[in-house]
Amino acid sequence: CSGDYFYIFVGQINPAIMEQQFTIYNSLSRKKELFEPLVPGKVGLYVCGPTVYSDAHLGHARPAITFDLLYRYLLHQGYKVRYVRNITDVGHLEDEVEETGEDKITKKARLEQLEPMEVVQKYMNTFHRNMADLNTLPPGIEPRATGHIIEQQQLISVLLQKGFAYEINGSVYFDVEKYNRQYHYGKLSGRNLDEMLSNTRQLEGQDEKRSSFDFALWKKASPEHIMRWPSQWGEGFPGWHLECSAMSTKYLGEQFDIHGGGMDLQFPHHECEIAQSTAALGKESVRYWMHNNMITINGQKMARSLGNFITLDQLFAGNHPLLVQAYSPMTIRFFILQAHYRSTLDFSNEALQAAEKGLERLMKAAVLLEKLQPSSTSTLDIAQLEANCYAALNDDLNSPILIAHLFDAVRAINSVYDGKATATAADIEILKKLFAVFVTDILGLRSEQEAAGSQTEVLGELVDLVLQLRNSAKASKDWSTADRIRDELNRIGVVVKDRKDGYDWELKR
């Protein structure tokens, strides 16, 4: 499982780092809290995954990258992490608040004339491919709702036995008002049930529910409903909220450390999860709730339901009317990491182009770092850089502050490479460690050449071969041939920069 992955970094640890403690913002308490796992050395992490009925879009990339950053940092700290991320493949209706309309997957199957499980497999495959493109680590366990029907039925039975649910006409609903008399419904989202009830109209077709805020645990399947399972209450399918309560406790225990997801899931999904689990177990399951904010487009949340989304494949290819160019997966990852996960992030071509340039500068510095020549003395001031980087991450995963500190390292590297500063061998090792730990292992960034794979490696070798021939021409004072090679390379997009001790080259953007 995911706990088999861990990182060990050898070297003396700065005492200032040893004194730092990891804090995260708990959405439940609405404040930053010191992270202390339930079991020392181990972390249980559950994150809400996608409902797989269409291609993943830019909004889906944000929780994936946010919790990949958390996962990577927990692993770096030496924790054994069990990371569970679900796949919703049944029960998510079109109107997720009022629980009306068609099942989203069933509707897509009808429109595309496919079996529902064909739809699920098709878009799950695309999601996994996109996640690999974005360099997110896969979860240790990825359960699907349809694979846990029995566990969901068992949870319903417990809720019925304890009086927090009721059956009517072959459906089972959670009794929110009864729950609220003993516990607190609305504690995560900050809603007040009495106020919500007084401001809610009775909706047509929901007469069978005792209250408009009761939510479905099991829905009776209509004759035309394809996705259905037998149960003691009749043939039907589980409600959307139920799967996460059943699967998180199955794989992480009755209590676990962190539950993550997008801020749009706080209500009703996560609020209902808390109610179900607390009513069934007599205690809350989750100790820390973490929510990433939304990606917006012209100030409005990017969402499939609003029709204002750009798929990840469209971003990578540049084939959407709102795009002026293609953007690489690493550019998208860097764009998301440049903002704190709890802040809104507005899409624009200008913002993505700025991220592209920033990433290029960071990756170029990593290449130059390997070329630095040590000196016996140093004019750099990098002693606090490592501690500053850890301090940023320990402060609720503050990735933009971390990136700002890394650009301090970039400026130091460029100064040394340009001969404006000197660095000792120890300084260079510190900088290499910073890039290996924070850029590669924790932020999960990699060069476009590395991401592109072997074809780019072949291109690099060919360019170097041509430039070696150019050097031979220069050594023979055959300046016309040397200039012609440089100009022809420039024409096809390879910019050559001569240096006193050799050359650099890069591709035109």
Side-chain angles (χ1 to χ4, degrees):
C1 75
S2 58
D4 292 335
Y5 295 89
F6 58 92
Y7 297 83
I8 296 177
F9 296 98
V10 179
Q12 186 175 2
I13 298 177
N14 189 322
I17 297 169
M18 295 291 290
E19 296 174 3
Q20 295 180 14
Q21 294 178 306
F22 183 36
T23 61
I24 58 178
Y25 183 87
N26 190 341
S27 302
L28 194 61
S29 64
R30 295 171 180 78
K31 63 182 181 182
K32 291 180 187 177
E33 297 180 5
L34 175 66
F35 176 67
E36 296 179 304
L38 192 65
V39 178
K42 297 182 179 181
V43 177
L45 170 64
Y46 185 91
V47 176
C48 284
T51 302
V52 280
Y53 68 97
S54 69
D55 289 322
H57 60 70
L58 182 59
H60 292 113
R62 192 164 200 194
I65 291 169
T66 294
F67 293 103
D68 184 62
L69 174 63
L70 173 64
Y71 183 34
R72 287 170 177 269
Y73 191 49
L74 290 170
L75 290 172
H76 174 71
Q77 293 181 90
Y79 289 110
K80 184 174 183 179
V81 184
R82 176 168 288 174
Y83 176 18
V84 183
R85 184 182 66 203
N86 73 302
I87 294 287
T88 296
D89 56 358
V90 69
H92 198 164
L93 304 184
E94 290 177 280
D95 189 329
E96 57 194 39
V97 176
E98 304 298 344
E99 296 185 311
T100 58
E102 207 171 352
D103 183 293
K104 293 183 177 184
I105 290 168
T106 302
K107 180 179 179 180
K108 193 59 176 277
R110 177 173 53 80
L111 293 174
E112 295 193 2
Q113 296 184 323
L114 298 171
E115 284 289 330
M117 286 301 105
E118 284 184 284
V119 170
V120 167
Q121 195 67 50
K122 174 183 176 181
Y123 293 112
M124 191 169 64
N125 291 346
T126 302
F127 175 76
H128 287 152
R129 175 170 50 77
N130 289 157
M131 293 305 101
D133 290 338
L134 292 169
N135 199 28
T136 64
L137 300 177
I141 303 174
E142 194 172 50
R144 289 165 57 171
T146 55
H148 296 77
I149 298 297
I150 292 174
E151 288 87 349
Q152 294 179 76
Q153 291 177 350
Q154 289 170 338
L155 182 53
I156 294 170
S157 296
V158 172
L159 292 169
L160 284 166
Q161 290 166 12
K162 293 193 171 185
F164 289 106
Y166 57 91
E167 177 193 355
I168 186 166
N169 299 330
S171 294
V172 183
Y173 296 96
F174 187 87
D175 193 330
V176 171
E177 288 187 79
K178 183 168 183 179
Y179 171 82
N180 195 55
R181 288 195 290 270
Q182 185 173 342
Y183 300 102
H184 178 194
Y185 183 81
K187 64 186 302 183
L188 178 67
S189 58
R191 286 167 165 79
N192 181 288
L193 183 61
D194 293 333
E195 292 179 3
M196 289 192 296
L197 288 170
S198 64
N199 294 324
T200 302
R201 61 184 175 86
Q202 184 65 42
L203 293 173
E204 183 180 352
Q206 294 197 343
D207 296 338
E208 69 178 16
K209 297 197 315 188
R210 293 176 185 171
S211 166
S212 59
F213 281 94
D214 292 351
F215 55 88
L217 300 170
W218 187 262
K219 291 278 282 186
K220 179 181 179 181
S222 58
E224 68 276 8
H225 199 94
I226 301 172
M227 303 177 78
R228 57 205 296 149
W229 289 264
S231 77
Q232 64 190 81
W233 315 289
E235 288 205 344
F237 56 94
W240 171 37
H241 313 304
L242 192 64
E243 64 179 272
C244 289
S245 288
M247 294 191 293
S248 63
T249 54
K250 175 181 175 66
Y251 295 109
L252 298 175
E254 291 186 355
Q255 283 190 298
F256 58 94
D257 297 298
I258 303 172
H259 192 314
M263 195 173 288
D264 56 334
L265 296 178
Q266 280 190 329
F267 187 87
H269 186 53
H270 290 162
E271 198 72 72
C272 294
E273 269 194 71
I274 290 175
Q276 292 164 165
S277 299
T278 304
L281 302 172
K283 57 188 176 186
E284 291 190 32
S285 291
V286 181
R287 302 176 70 240
Y288 301 88
W289 284 91
M290 295 181 70
H291 293 92
N292 65 274
N293 214 321
M294 300 295 100
I295 289 183
T296 58
I297 180 167
N298 297 322
Q300 186 180 40
K301 183 186 84 168
M302 184 177 287
R304 289 182 292 198
S305 58
L306 299 174
N308 64 349
F309 63 93
I310 303 173
T311 71
L312 291 171
D313 282 339
Q314 287 172 329
L315 279 161
F316 302 158
N319 59 355
H320 187 282
L322 292 177
L323 299 174
V324 298
Q325 66 176 78
Y327 299 99
S328 71
M330 286 299 100
T331 296
I332 300 302
R333 185 177 180 102
F334 190 67
F335 167 67
I336 289 172
L337 290 169
Q338 278 186 308
H340 189 271
Y341 76 90
R342 287 193 291 112
S343 65
T344 56
L345 179 58
D346 197 55
F347 160 85
S348 70
N349 281 284
E350 293 76 14
L352 284 169
Q353 287 167 348
E356 184 178 58
K357 290 178 181 177
L359 176 65
E360 183 180 12
R361 187 173 167 223
L362 190 66
M363 293 296 105
K364 186 175 180 180
V367 174
L368 296 183
L369 180 56
E370 298 299 323
K371 300 179 180 180
L372 296 188
Q373 297 299 315
S375 174
S376 58
T377 60
S378 174
T379 58
L380 298 183
D381 182 17
I382 59 173
Q384 279 296 113
L385 267 181
E386 184 181 26
N388 291 341
C389 290
Y390 277 109
L393 287 171
N394 285 331
D395 183 18
D396 192 31
L397 295 177
N398 202 323
S399 58
I401 298 298
L402 168 61
I403 289 170
H405 291 313
L406 290 172
F407 275 109
D408 289 337
V410 169
R411 282 186 284 274
I413 292 167
N414 290 336
S415 295
V416 174
Y417 187 74
D418 292 337
K420 298 175 182 178
T422 58
T424 64
D427 289 333
I428 294 172
E429 284 307 307
I430 289 173
L431 292 169
K432 286 182 177 180
K433 181 181 177 183
L434 283 175
F435 270 70
V437 172
F438 294 102
V439 176
T440 303
D441 290 331
I442 296 176
L443 291 180
L445 296 169
R446 56 190 181 187
S447 68
E448 301 297 356
Q449 288 80 5
E450 182 185 354
S454 59
Q455 287 187 345
T456 304
E457 292 178 14
V458 171
L459 172 63
E461 291 178 3
L462 286 172
V463 172
D464 284 332
L465 176 62
V466 172
L467 289 175
Q468 288 169 19
L469 295 174
R470 179 172 178 262
N471 279 351
S472 297
K474 289 169 67 177
S476 302
K477 300 187 184 304
D478 185 358
W479 307 117
S480 61
T481 298
D483 289 346
R484 190 169 81 251
I485 291 174
R486 180 198 60 206
D487 294 342
E488 284 299 308
L489 285 172
N490 185 68
R491 184 183 64 79
I492 63 175
V494 179
V495 180
V496 180
K497 298 179 181 179
D498 289 312
R499 299 179 59 85
K500 289 186 295 184
D501 55 350
Y503 60 83
D504 291 329
W505 67 270
E506 60 183 25
L507 297 176
K508 285 182 183 177
R509 300 213 68 84

